[in-house]
Amino acid sequence: SVLASSLQSVPYLYGPNWILQRWLEGGSEALQAAYEAVPTDVLGALQSSWGAEQEEAAASPYPAPNVYTSDGEPAESAELIPLAYDRLGAYTVYTAARRASDALVGRQLALGWRGDQLDVYELNAGGAAARWHVTFDSSQQAVSFASLLQQNPSVSVRHEGTSVVGVVSESGNEPEWLFGPLGR
């Protein structure tokens, strides 16, 4: 897929700029410090490559099992089996936005990325479902990304404030708890 092949080139396209920026900021010591605290996302590398101001990402914590509803976690007998969770990151936001729009919009949204989590479930009702919860720096970015995701008829999208939740379901069954904190 386009995403899989583009992810293979990320370190080679954006990593050297990030390393150079660290070196220019503080020489060998700054570079060593960067490798001692390895980033869990590529936002800093994208900021360096695209000439954006380097800022600490207000990223959500690295993903952890995340099964919740507006009333708390579903009961053990609920209609789900958590399968996997992961972070897709700023570069995936860039790729998704670029495919639905253009490179400039993709860059703006990727630089506004502040965290995400992908949760995949097997539903007792049949098939698998996934929830992608993305947090942005501003509500404008969230609205923009939500409108791009909505172009795909397979994705149900909700957004509120700086958060966007996209849900896909193999069977078409989308229980409200799939939308997490944006479930109504």
Side-chain angles (χ1 to χ4, degrees):
S1 74
V2 173
L3 176 60
S5 61
S6 67
L7 288 175
Q8 293 172 355
S9 65
V10 169
Y12 305 105
L13 293 174
Y14 303 104
N17 289 321
W18 181 77
I19 290 170
L20 176 62
Q21 189 68 33
R22 302 290 78 72
W23 181 268
L24 292 174
E25 288 172 358
S28 179
E29 294 82 23
L31 197 54
Q32 291 302 318
Y35 280 110
E36 287 174 10
V38 178
T40 61
D41 60 68
V42 298
L43 183 61
L46 295 178
Q47 290 169 335
S48 294
S49 295
W50 294 336
E53 184 177 330
Q54 292 287 308
E55 48 186 281
E56 259 327 286
S60 55
Y62 192 76
N66 193 2
V67 179
Y68 48 73
T69 68
S70 55
D71 300 325
E73 289 194 15
E76 233 179 86
S77 62
E79 52 190 283
L80 67 116
I81 301 168
L83 296 177
Y85 56 91
D86 202 353
R87 170 176 280 166
L88 298 180
Y91 191 73
T92 302
V93 168
Y94 169 69
T95 303
R98 185 171 177 173
R99 289 195 62 182
S101 185
D102 61 39
L104 180 59
V105 170
R107 282 184 181 196
Q108 292 168 341
L109 291 173
L111 292 173
W113 173 91
R114 291 298 179 264
D116 74 273
Q117 180 157 331
L118 174 70
D119 295 288
V120 182
Y121 304 97
E122 180 181 339
L123 302 177
N124 283 345
R131 168 182 60 224
W132 188 23
H133 184 176
V134 186
T135 304
F136 289 94
D137 193 36
S138 74
S139 58
Q140 281 181 308
Q141 293 161 332
V143 168
S144 178
F145 192 67
S147 70
L148 293 177
L149 282 182
Q150 287 170 334
Q151 292 177 18
N152 184 331
S154 299
V155 181
S156 296
V157 180
R158 295 188 185 167
H159 64 87
E160 184 177 287
T162 60
S163 290
V164 176
V165 172
V167 168
V168 295
S169 174
E170 197 173 21
S171 67
N173 184 19
E174 296 176 347
E176 279 301 305
W177 60 261
L178 265 175
F179 293 93
L182 301 186
R184 294 190 197 331

